């Protein structure tokens, strides 16, 4: 049976973590899929790791795998850290704040099995996709970022800033090792590198819902870093 490893980086997600884990496990069990959830917590001061340990006691150490780190070290390195413990042939990445609903994972799997593609990515910018709970400013920033990326880099997908994806494990390993970006531009670079390496990508429309608990990790520093990263990628590609 094919196994799916979920990489779940966390920072201050103690309210969201039990819910997202429940939804993930319900989806995998309902569809008779083998799975593991790898939680990479960056020393959250709100006690996220303690919550993760309780979830491990409930669901089992073979289903909930804990790989904590001493501090916030970046999204890309979180994936690298989690991948070392991933035993599945495929890897699912998504946000722990419930903005990505696990109900779409079966659609990701179905289209991968049908096409044999290397990557399936969720998109908010195709028919059937969308965003709920964002104000006008955040929608404008996201749409502008995607529009400029399409013009400058031709990434081959409609939603380069999204972080809800299914990868062949070997593909994810190669992409991560080739990326140099940090922060939220990292997700964009992953898709740029995928095109450069001629990996095949399919898209599934998803609905993105803003977090209910906790605060957004996106800051003005991250936004500035994204634009700088976009320019650097344009200069290198």
């Amino acid at each position: 049976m094919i196994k799916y490893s979920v990489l779940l980086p966390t920072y201050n997600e103690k309210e969201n973590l039990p819910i997202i884990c429940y939804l993930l496990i319900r989806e995998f069990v309902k569809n008779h899929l083998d799975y593991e959830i790898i939680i990479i917590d960056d020393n959250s001061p709100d006690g996220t790791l303690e919550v993760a340990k309780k979830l491990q006691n409930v669901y089992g150490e073979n289903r909930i795998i804990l790989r904590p780190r001493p501090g916030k070290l970046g999204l890309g390195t979180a994936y690298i850290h989690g991948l070392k413990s991933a035993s599945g042939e495929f890897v699912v990445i998504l946000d722990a704040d419930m903005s990505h609903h696990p109900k779409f994972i079966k659609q990701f799997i179905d289209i991968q099995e049908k096409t044999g593609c290397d990557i399936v990515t969720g998109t908010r910018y195709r028919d059937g996709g969308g965003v709920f709970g964002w104000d006008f400013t955040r929608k404008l920033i996201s749409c502008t970022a995607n529009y400029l990326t399409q013009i400058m880099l031709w990434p081959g997908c409609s939603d380069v800033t999204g972080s809800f994806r299914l990868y062949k494990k070997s593909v994810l390993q190669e992409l991560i090792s080739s990326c140099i970006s940090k922060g939220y531009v990292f997700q964009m670079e992953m898709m740029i590198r995928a095109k450069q390496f001629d990996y095949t990508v399919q898209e599934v429309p998803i609905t993105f819902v803003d977090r209910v608990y906790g605060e957004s990790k996106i800051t003005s520093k991250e936004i500035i870093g994204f634009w700088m990263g976009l320019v650097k990628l344009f200069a290198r590609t």
Side-chain angles (χ1 to χ4, degrees):
M1 179 182 289
I2 295 174
K3 188 173 186 178
Y4 297 88
S5 300
V6 179
L7 299 186
L8 205 61
T10 59
Y11 187 77
N12 286 349
E13 298 289 359
K14 69 175 183 179
E15 292 95 351
N16 294 314
L17 187 60
I19 305 173
I20 192 66
C21 284
Y22 166 77
L23 292 173
L24 281 164
I25 292 169
R26 184 181 68 175
E27 193 66 22
F28 285 122
V29 171
K30 180 177 69 175
N31 293 291
H32 308 288
L33 299 168
D34 194 12
Y35 71 93
E36 63 187 5
I37 301 171
I38 302 171
I39 300 172
I40 308 107
D41 186 66
D42 279 359
N43 197 23
S44 299
D46 73 339
T48 298
L49 182 59
E50 285 67 33
V51 172
K53 290 177 180 178
K54 293 179 181 178
L55 292 171
Q56 189 179 60
N57 290 334
V58 172
Y59 295 113
E61 294 184 2
N62 64 321
R63 296 303 187 188
I64 303 290
I65 299 170
L66 306 183
R67 292 296 180 263
R69 304 196 296 173
K72 294 188 73 174
L73 302 173
L75 186 61
T77 58
Y79 290 147
I80 293 172
H81 188 66
L83 266 175
K84 294 176 182 177
S85 302
S87 60
E89 295 89 343
F90 290 86
V91 177
V92 177
I93 64 169
L94 77 166
D95 293 345
D97 61 5
M98 295 189 299
S99 56
H100 301 138
H101 200 295
K103 68 181 180 182
F104 295 106
I105 290 176
K106 185 59 167 59
Q107 294 181 45
F108 285 25
I109 293 172
D110 288 345
I111 196 169
Q112 194 289 320
E113 290 180 342
K114 180 179 179 181
T115 65
C117 65
D118 300 303
I119 304 167
V120 181
T121 182
T123 177
R124 298 161 288 182
Y125 302 116
R126 283 181 55 188
D127 289 345
V131 175
F132 296 92
W134 279 4
D135 58 23
F136 175 77
T137 300
R138 191 168 177 188
K139 287 181 179 179
L140 179 63
I141 291 171
S142 179
C143 289
T144 303
N146 273 280
Y147 178 72
L148 289 177
T149 304
Q150 299 294 334
I151 293 175
M152 296 171 68
L153 299 174
W154 293 90
C157 63
S158 62
D159 192 346
V160 293
T161 58
S163 55
F164 191 4
R165 296 172 185 161
L166 170 70
Y167 291 89
K168 290 180 179 177
K169 181 182 175 181
S170 59
V171 170
L172 181 57
Q173 288 172 325
E174 183 172 5
L175 289 176
I176 287 178
S177 66
S178 69
C179 289
I180 59 175
S181 302
K182 299 183 182 297
Y184 288 92
V185 74
F186 173 81
Q187 299 288 9
M188 176 180 66
E189 185 178 1
M190 293 271 279
M191 302 312 293
I192 303 303
R193 301 302 178 195
K195 184 180 180 183
Q196 289 179 339
F197 297 157
D198 291 323
Y199 287 131
T200 52
V201 180
Q202 294 288 332
E203 294 187 313
V204 171
I206 63 166
T207 49
F208 179 102
V209 180
D210 198 19
R211 64 166 57 244
V212 176
Y213 299 108
E215 298 179 355
S216 173
K217 309 298 190 303
I218 298 178
T219 63
S220 57
K221 182 180 179 181
E222 290 283 359
I223 295 172
I224 294 171
F226 178 87
W227 299 122
M228 292 177 64
L230 176 60
V231 172
K232 289 179 180 177
L233 279 177
F234 177 71
R236 294 185 179 124
T237 56

